[in-house]
């Protein structure tokens, strides 16, 4: 028989940390903490399998579940001496969701469950505190009505605000027991008025309502969105954790809080967290009250005058410090902890590996390796390569003038500039139009995930370092400033008031998530560099990886930046990109539009010196590292003059009439330029183009070798080859030019001629093409386009719909389609090697910078990946992780 329920409590548990798939992260770690003998309120976990059963059976429960839950409640009764639903020995429970991967704030929680008009009196008598009992009951009604009955919590907040105004109270904590009782009466009446049925009084009905709500929350919109953004499969399901309540709201010696064993923003090794006195968990996360610091040091650093936990409750604090150290050692990772102190006694409610910024991840990994807690290889394995992107984005130039209009908490590092928007929908709309925005909210909630995703950065006026905005932004790697209390969002008028300035949607601001500043306008930014912990991890990764990492670059600036990020050569220099400058485009157009070979040669004469000096500079920057230069490839329409002004300009340069040029432009029109006269087809029809480029390459090689003393071995790459004869035709021209340049200069030139594999036919005929090609570089952008028959220029309009409808999991232009396109790559690699053992193999499509695709490249044994400069560090790390996996 399937076991649906696992109990824990009092130093023992049926589950373990390794049971995450079955018990969810929270449940597995509660079990583990129990087994370690830590103070955890006893309880039980209903498995993720029960959730899957629930969905597979029209939202019904497995037959034996009821009996299992009853037995588990008995187990709690045995350990606590309290019984669920029994006013004489009252047991209240919390019900929390817990999926395999943590999904902060995505699903639902109900606290204080089991309270009703009768048990609330028992709770009051039990605690000797009726104010506390009514406070708990009103919280329960609010949460339960919201989560289980679908009544928005705002209706209750309105009632409470009205009551507070009438009574002249400012804070919730100012209300007396009697006043809360009155509020509860109004709450219950509201439930009945809105839903047409009374608030449920039967604890069993309450419990099953909450269990059903947690299971159902797995399919709510925000959970679905979160899963899509984080690639979490729907089939995982969520577990439900039911635990004996412990109360952080039992007066001034009670508290609740969250903490990280190291700073999740910087990685510094110091306990870091926040708590609230006389409060329950949701108060901390909701950001309604500003929390206090846990340690004295953090309090002093934050300049807060509210006492720290260390000062206020030294014994509970010390117990917490001991436990946090123990848990970090046990899990060998930075932990994210939740706790409650009930009348001085500490209870642990959660531990899990803490989410952290990329910067913190690097520091923590490097320090844990030097502490001997983990190995260098584990340190490398722990960094998410994609997260490095956060560190490879600009920061504000320290010399820049800062027009500071507000200040908040440095919730997630990095700087971002954008137009103000006040809603997540507006953020998404703007993003779709290609505009950059900063999402400005009083506070964010899980409904804002899509807007946070669309925004460059997030600014909130309320909430702490662990508020929803802060936690989610850090996870997404977006800059965030939270709790900027001096700013005021005026939702009604759609304005942001900041130090006497009124800002409207569309006005530009900059946020600095590293120090909490909010600045007016755009500010100069600095390019990132690779140093400190980042450099250390890269050094360790380089020791592990087998594949080389090159860059796709054609400008000296990109080539230099890529080298500073550790690129080991250029894998793709797209020569056509060198002709977009104002002074060059006219000559380029002249060349394309000439209708005679003579005309073309005239234009090519002008282009030759420009190309030569470009190449020489690249060779010098790369100082002897391999440089692959691709012959002209573009679909010609990219270069055709479009406006009348452009036509006139080129006509003048060519000394022909505008009309004649217009006719020639029309004659060159193609219905499908991507599959038209491009790639090596240009070199076959107009060999003089390839000859000019080859000459520029070889002359530059001679020049750079003489100048720097480094030998230069250019790799000349022929694009879009489908037939071996195409390659042979072009290669013969290249070889002839090489001979000429050697004869003219008297220098020996070593070079390779190879091809891109970007057409299915090339992959299929790779064994034949390899007879002539000295290297292959997989152009997976075109190979994806031609394998799928999906135009890379037009894919965006429908691929997102495919993704949403689960027809595809990922955009194949972003992450390699391993089953299809990957199969062609694998086959071509094998066939190429069969003909020419040791043929040099690389990839230069966008996939060369995508970690999952890089893993595949390691599997098929490519020699290198090549990617854009900013992705070079990501590729270095991903290549190392791929090498470890393959071992
Ligand atoms: C490719 O097709 O993968 C490639 C690198 O070439 P381009 O993107 O320039 O077509
Ligand atoms: Mg291509």
């Amino acid at each position: 028989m399937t076991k649906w329920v696992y109990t824990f409590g009092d130093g023992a548990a049926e589950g373990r940390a390794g049971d995450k798939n079955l018990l969810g992260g929270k449940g597995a770690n509660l079990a583990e903490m129990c087994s370690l003998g830590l103070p955890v309120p006893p309880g039980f976990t209903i498995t993720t399998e029960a959730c899957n059963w629930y969905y597979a059976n029209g939202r019904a429960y497995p037959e034996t579940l009821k009996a299992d839950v009853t037995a588990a409640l008995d187990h709690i009764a045995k350990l606590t001496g309290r019984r669920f639903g029994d006013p004489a020995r009252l047991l209240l429970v919390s019900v929390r969701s817990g999926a395999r991967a943590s999904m902060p704030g995505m699903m639902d929680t109900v606290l204080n469950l089991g309270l009703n008009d009768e048990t609330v009196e028992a709770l009051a008598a039990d605690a000797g505190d009726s104010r506390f009992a009514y406070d708990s009951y009103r919280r329960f009604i609010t949460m339960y009505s919201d989560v289980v009955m679908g009544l928005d919590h705002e209706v209750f907040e309105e009632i409470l605000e009205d009551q507070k105004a009438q009574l002249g109270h400012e804070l919730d904590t100012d209300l007396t027991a009697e006043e809360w009782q009155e509020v509860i009466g109004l709450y219950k009446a509201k439930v009945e008025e809105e839903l047409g049925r009374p608030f449920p009084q039967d604890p069993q009905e309450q419990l099953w309502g909450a269990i059903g709500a947690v299971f159902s929350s797995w399919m709510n919109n925000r959970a679905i969105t979160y899963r899509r953004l984080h690639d979490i499969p729907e089939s995982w399901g969520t577990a439900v954790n039911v635990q004996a309540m412990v109360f952080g709201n039992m007066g001034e010696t009670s508290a609740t809080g969250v903490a990280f064993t190291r700073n999740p923003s910087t990685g510094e090794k110091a306990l870091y967290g926040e708590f609230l006195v006389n409060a329950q968990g949701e108060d901390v996360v909701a950001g309604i009250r500003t929390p206090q610091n846990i340690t004295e040091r953090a309090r002093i650093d934050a300049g807060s005058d509210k006492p720290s936990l260390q000062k206020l409750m030294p014994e509970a604090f010390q117990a917490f410090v001991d436990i946090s150290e123990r848990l970090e050692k046990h899990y060998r990772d930075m932990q994210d902890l939740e706790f409650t102190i009930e009348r001085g006694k500490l209870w642990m409610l959660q531990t899990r590996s803490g989410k952290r910024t990329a910067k913190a991840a690097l520091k923590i990994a490097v320090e844990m390796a030097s502490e001997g807690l983990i190995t260098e290889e584990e340190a490398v394995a722990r960094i998410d390569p994609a997260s490095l992107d956060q560190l490879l984005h600009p920061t504000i130039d320290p010399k820049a003038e800062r027009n500071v209009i507000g200040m908040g908490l440095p919730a997630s590092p990095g700087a971002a500039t954008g137009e103000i928007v006040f809603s997540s929908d507006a953020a998404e709309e703007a993003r779709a139009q290609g505009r950059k925005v900063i999402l400005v909210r009083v506070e964010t909630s899980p409904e804002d995930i899509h807007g946070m995703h669309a925004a460059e950065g997030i600014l909130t006026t309320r909430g702490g370092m662990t508020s929803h905005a802060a936690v989610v932004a850090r996870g997404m790697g977006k800059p965030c400033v939270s709790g900027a209390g001096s700013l005021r969002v005026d939702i009604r008028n759609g304005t942001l008031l900041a130090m006497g300035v009124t800002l409207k949607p569309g006005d530009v601001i900059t946020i600095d998530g590293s120090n909490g500043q909010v600045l007016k306008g755009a500010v100069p930014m600095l390019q990132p560099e690779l140093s400190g912990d980042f450099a250390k991890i890269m050094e360790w990764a380089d020791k592990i990886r087998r594949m080389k990492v090159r860059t796709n670059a054609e400008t000296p600036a990109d080539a230099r930046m890529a080298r500073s990020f550790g690129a080991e050569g250029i894998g793709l220099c797209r020569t056509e990109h060198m002709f977009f400058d104002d002074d060059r485009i006219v000559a380029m157009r002249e060349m394309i539009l000439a209708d005679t070979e003579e005309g073309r040669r005239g234009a090519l004469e002008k282009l030759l010196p420009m190309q030569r000096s470009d190449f020489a500079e690249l060779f010098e920057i790369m100082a002897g590292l391999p440089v692959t230069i691709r012959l002209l490839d573009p679909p010609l329409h990219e270069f055709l003059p479009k406006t009348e002004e452009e036509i006139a300009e080129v006509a003048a340069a060519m000394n022909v009439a505008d009309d004649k040029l217009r006719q020639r432009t029309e004659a060159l029109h193609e219905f499908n330029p991507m599959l038209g006269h491009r790639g090596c087809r240009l070199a076959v029809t107009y060999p003089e183009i390839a000859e000019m480029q080859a000459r520029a390459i070889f002359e530059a090689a001679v020049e750079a070798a003489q100048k720097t003393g480094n030998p230069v071995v250019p790799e000349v790459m022929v694009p879009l080859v489908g037939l071996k004869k195409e390659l042979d035709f072009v290669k013969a021209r290249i070889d002839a030019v090489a001979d000429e340049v050697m004869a003219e200069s008297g220098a020996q030139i070593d070079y390779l001629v190879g091809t891109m594999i970007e057409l299915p036919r090339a992959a299929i005929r790779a064994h034949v093409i390899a007879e002539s090609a000295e290297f292959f570089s997989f152009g997976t952008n075109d190979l994806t386009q031609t394998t799928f028959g999906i135009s890379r220029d037009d894919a965006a309009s429908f691929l997102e719909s495919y993704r949403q409808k689960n027809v595809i999991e990922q955009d194949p232009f972003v992450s390699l389609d391993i089953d299809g396109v990957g199969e062609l790559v694998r086959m071509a690699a094998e066939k190429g090697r069969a003909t020419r053992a040791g043929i040099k193999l690389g990839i230069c499509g966008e996939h060369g910078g995508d970690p999952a695709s890089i893993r595949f490249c390691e599997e098929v044994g490519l020699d290198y990946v090549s990617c854009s400069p900013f992705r070079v560090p990501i590729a270095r790390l991903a290549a190392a992780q791929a090498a470890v996996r393959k071992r």
Side-chain angles (χ1 to χ4, degrees):
M1 232 169 52
T2 315
K3 184 171 169 59
W4 304 111
V5 172
Y6 286 69
T7 59
F8 54 83
D10 214 15
E14 292 180 318
R16 291 180 314 108
D19 296 331
K20 280 202 178 67
N21 296 359
L22 187 64
L23 303 180
K26 189 190 281 274
N29 287 331
L30 283 170
E32 186 82 3
M33 283 198 290
C34 262
S35 303
L36 291 172
L38 302 183
V40 173
F44 58 90
T45 304
I46 305 176
T47 65
T48 55
E49 282 178 1
C51 178
N52 289 334
W53 200 97
Y54 174 83
Y55 281 110
N57 292 276
R59 302 199 177 212
Y61 299 114
E63 213 176 297
T64 50
L65 185 63
K66 269 229 146 88
D68 291 351
V69 166
T70 306
L73 285 168
D74 286 346
H75 172 81
I76 302 181
K78 218 177 296 147
L79 297 180
T80 58
R82 298 173 173 277
R83 186 161 285 284
F84 187 63
D86 179 355
R89 295 180 299 146
L90 185 63
L91 170 69
L92 300 181
V93 295
S94 65
V95 180
R96 292 183 172 92
S97 63
R100 206 191 283 193
S102 98
M103 297 169 61
M106 287 305 114
M107 291 182 303
D108 293 323
T109 293
V110 182
L111 303 180
N112 309 305
L113 190 136
L115 279 175
N116 57 27
D117 295 350
E118 186 185 1
T119 54
V120 70
E121 303 300 338
L123 182 65
D126 217 13
D129 183 347
S130 47
R131 192 202 163 280
F132 149 73
Y134 292 118
D135 178 47
S136 302
Y137 193 22
R138 65 92 189 182
R139 287 171 185 275
F140 173 53
I141 295 174
T142 307
M143 266 186 154
Y144 192 90
S145 303
D146 186 359
V147 169
V148 183
M149 305 173 83
L151 187 56
D152 201 283
H153 60 91
E154 273 169 23
V155 303
F156 300 109
E157 269 148 38
E158 261 169 42
I159 294 175
L160 183 54
E161 287 310 312
D162 279 355
Q163 282 299 104
K164 283 197 322 207
Q166 270 181 35
L167 296 164
H169 291 323
E170 207 164 294
L171 300 173
D172 292 2
T173 40
D174 295 338
L175 270 76
T176 64
E178 291 70 31
E179 287 163 353
W180 276 125
Q181 225 174 339
E182 206 160 306
V183 169
I184 287 164
L186 296 170
Y187 277 12
K188 286 196 300 183
K190 188 75 184 171
V191 170
E192 200 154 354
E193 177 195 322
E194 293 280 336
L195 303 176
R197 59 197 153 106
F199 187 80
Q201 294 286 311
D202 174 13
Q204 283 294 336
E205 182 190 339
Q206 293 173 355
L207 178 62
W208 286 98
I211 292 171
V214 171
F215 279 166
S216 300
S217 68
W218 182 247
M219 289 296 182
N220 70 27
N221 284 338
R222 43 185 219 248
I224 291 170
T225 307
Y226 189 94
R227 283 203 292 274
R228 190 159 53 77
L229 294 176
H230 293 83
D231 291 325
I232 296 174
E234 189 181 297
S235 61
W236 283 5
T238 181
V240 183
N241 298 291
V242 179
Q243 272 182 290
M245 271 303 293
V246 288
F247 297 95
N249 59 333
M250 241 188 214
E252 294 304 307
T253 55
S254 299
T256 188
V258 295
F260 294 87
T261 55
R262 302 189 187 209
N263 186 313
S265 194
T266 64
E268 191 200 357
K269 191 179 180 183
L271 185 65
Y272 181 85
E274 298 167 332
F275 75 105
L276 283 174
V277 175
N278 198 7
Q280 284 197 337
E282 78 271 17
D283 300 341
V284 184
V285 186
I288 294 165
R289 278 162 64 191
T290 298
Q292 295 158 244
N293 298 101
I294 288 189
T295 62
E296 260 308 273
R297 219 197 94 189
R299 182 193 68 75
I300 293 163
D301 286 350
S304 164
D305 55 4
K306 291 191 179 169
S308 65
L309 186 70
Q310 188 170 7
K311 247 306 176 0
L312 213 56
M313 304 179 192
E315 274 170 35
F317 170 79
Q318 195 50 51
F320 182 65
V321 169
D322 293 346
I323 288 174
S324 65
E325 282 170 6
R326 202 170 147 201
L327 284 172
E328 185 178 284
K329 284 220 172 70
H330 181 73
Y331 284 98
R332 305 191 314 133
D333 196 8
M334 183 265 261
Q335 296 294 295
D336 169 355
L337 309 165
E338 284 181 21
F339 64 95
T340 281
I341 297 166
E342 181 184 290
R343 294 196 168 155
K345 156 103 177 121
L346 174 72
W347 292 97
M348 296 303 298
L349 300 183
Q350 171 161 299
T351 189
R352 64 179 173 202
S353 281
K355 290 205 188 297
R356 60 204 81 177
T357 62
K359 184 176 167 201
L362 290 168
K363 189 175 186 65
I364 290 169
V366 168
E367 290 188 0
M368 284 193 169
S370 45
E371 287 161 27
L373 210 53
I374 58 176
T375 63
E376 282 180 12
E377 199 170 292
E378 280 174 306
V380 167
R382 282 197 181 174
I383 311 294
D384 171 11
S387 75
L388 297 179
D389 202 33
Q390 291 174 36
L391 302 173
L392 296 167
H393 282 304
T395 47
I396 294 178
D397 183 344
K399 292 201 281 293
E401 207 173 293
R402 291 174 180 239
N403 183 356
V404 180
I405 52 169
M407 190 73 200
L409 299 168
S412 182
T417 298
E419 298 171 24
I420 295 176
V421 291
F422 291 112
S423 81
S424 286
D425 290 344
E428 215 173 33
E429 255 165 52
R431 161 78 176 234
Q433 296 164 2
R435 282 152 48 216
K436 298 191 163 170
V437 297
I438 305 289
L439 177 62
V440 181
R441 306 280 287 157
V442 174
E443 55 193 304
T444 61
S445 77
E447 273 89 25
D448 288 313
I449 294 294
H450 65 292
M452 298 176 76
H453 203 71
E456 301 299 306
I458 297 115
L459 169 63
T460 67
T461 54
R462 216 151 67 177
M465 291 291 282
T466 47
S467 64
H468 179 267
V471 171
V472 175
R474 281 200 293 271
M476 286 183 176
K478 302 249 166 175
C480 174
V481 171
S482 69
S486 63
L487 300 181
R488 233 191 66 216
V489 176
D490 182 342
I491 290 284
R492 196 162 325 144
N493 295 313
T495 55
L496 177 68
L497 305 172
M499 311 221 310
V501 191
T502 304
L503 298 164
K504 300 178 305 307
D507 289 345
V508 173
I509 58 168
T510 297
I511 58 168
D512 187 344
S514 311
N515 66 8
Q517 285 180 348
V518 182
L519 315 168
K520 187 152 182 257
V523 183
M525 303 268 182
L526 273 194
Q527 293 309 322
E529 61 178 67
L530 212 157
S531 59
D533 300 319
F534 196 170
K536 192 59 139 192
I537 288 284
M538 285 294 125
E539 184 191 315
W540 293 348
D542 289 350
K543 279 197 273 182
I544 298 168
R545 76 184 153 90
R546 180 193 61 82
M547 282 191 295
K548 297 273 185 205
V549 175
R550 300 197 198 174
T551 191
N552 294 356
E554 41 277 331
T555 67
D558 278 359
R560 275 197 199 93
M561 187 188 315
R563 273 218 72 187
S564 76
F565 288 156
E568 296 161 298
I570 290 179
L572 173 63
C573 166
R574 292 177 163 105
T575 47
E576 58 274 13
H577 286 191
M578 302 166 132
F579 293 115
F580 277 107
D581 285 354
D582 281 350
D583 56 332
R584 300 178 173 200
I585 187 110
V586 175
M588 183 68 180
R589 285 181 173 148
E590 238 184 283
M591 193 269 290
I592 290 171
L593 290 164
D595 48 9
T596 62
E597 182 180 330
E598 198 192 347
R600 265 189 303 281
R601 285 200 187 272
L604 287 165
E605 280 298 301
K606 297 186 201 166
L607 293 173
L608 174 67
M610 303 175 191
Q611 283 260 270
R612 186 174 48 224
S613 70
D614 287 342
F615 294 149
E617 197 170 358
L618 289 182
F619 290 142
E620 280 167 34
I621 295 167
M622 285 296 149
L625 293 169
V627 176
T628 306
I629 295 172
R630 179 176 74 185
L631 300 184
L632 203 64
D633 174 42
L636 286 183
H637 75 293
E638 287 179 16
F639 282 97
L640 292 179
K642 291 182 185 73
T643 62
E644 285 300 313
E645 207 182 338
E646 286 169 354
I647 291 179
E649 193 180 10
V650 182
M654 290 171 76
N655 209 8
V656 296
D658 288 13
D659 254 357
K660 176 147 189 278
L661 194 75
R662 205 171 291 114
Q663 275 167 19
R664 175 79 182 140
T665 307
E666 276 158 21
L668 285 176
H669 171 81
E670 291 181 305
F671 286 103
N672 200 339
M674 267 292 189
L675 299 176
H677 193 191
R678 61 170 288 215
C680 66
R681 297 159 201 169
L682 290 170
V684 172
T685 45
Y686 306 138
E688 55 277 10
I689 301 179
E691 286 166 8
M692 180 282 282
Q693 291 201 295
R695 176 164 283 277
I697 293 168
F698 295 132
E699 287 179 356
V702 172
E703 188 186 316
Q706 276 167 0
K707 194 160 161 195
T708 63
N710 287 315
V712 179
V713 184
E715 299 178 356
V716 184
M717 182 151 79
V718 184
L720 218 74
V721 165
L723 303 161
K724 173 174 179 281
K725 280 198 176 157
E726 287 173 320
L727 177 61
D728 287 342
F729 181 92
V730 182
K731 185 171 187 298
R733 300 299 189 283
I734 296 167
D735 289 340
V737 174
D739 290 343
E740 277 170 32
V741 176
M742 282 192 269
E744 288 160 19
S745 65
Q748 172 63 31
I749 306 171
D750 292 322
Y751 65 97
L752 302 176
V753 177
T755 179
M756 295 188 74
I757 302 286
E758 45 189 349
L759 294 173
R761 192 179 197 286
I764 293 165
R765 302 292 291 166
H767 54 299
V768 179
I769 292 173
E771 288 168 9
S772 304
E774 292 167 297
F775 64 86
F776 286 168
S777 178
F778 291 96
T780 45
N781 302 333
D782 273 311
L783 192 57
T784 300
Q785 166 168 264
T786 50
T787 301
F788 274 87
I790 292 179
S791 154
R792 54 197 271 199
D793 288 341
D794 303 307
S797 65
F798 56 89
L799 275 190
E800 186 47 32
S801 172
Y802 266 48
R803 246 167 70 87
Q804 275 171 10
K805 293 175 178 141
N806 273 331
V807 177
I808 53 164
E809 265 179 28
Q810 269 184 319
D811 181 342
F813 289 101
V814 174
S815 197
L816 192 74
D817 159 46
I818 288 170
D819 300 338
V821 180
E823 205 46 45
L824 287 174
V825 171
R826 186 192 299 275
M827 182 179 79
E830 281 165 11
K831 287 183 172 220
R833 283 196 200 102
T835 299
R836 188 185 287 267
I839 185 172
K840 208 189 251 197
L841 301 173
I843 182 174
C844 64
E846 283 306 298
H847 307 92
D850 169 63
S853 312
I854 291 170
R855 200 182 307 144
F856 171 78
C857 294
E858 172 69 32
E859 247 171 61
V860 294
L862 299 194
D863 297 299
Y864 68 87
V865 299
S866 187
C867 55
S868 61
F870 277 112
R871 299 196 78 84
V872 166
I874 296 173
R876 286 164 74 189
L877 181 60
Q881 293 180 351
V884 172
R885 261 176 71 104
K886 203 181 172 192
R887 272 187 208 153

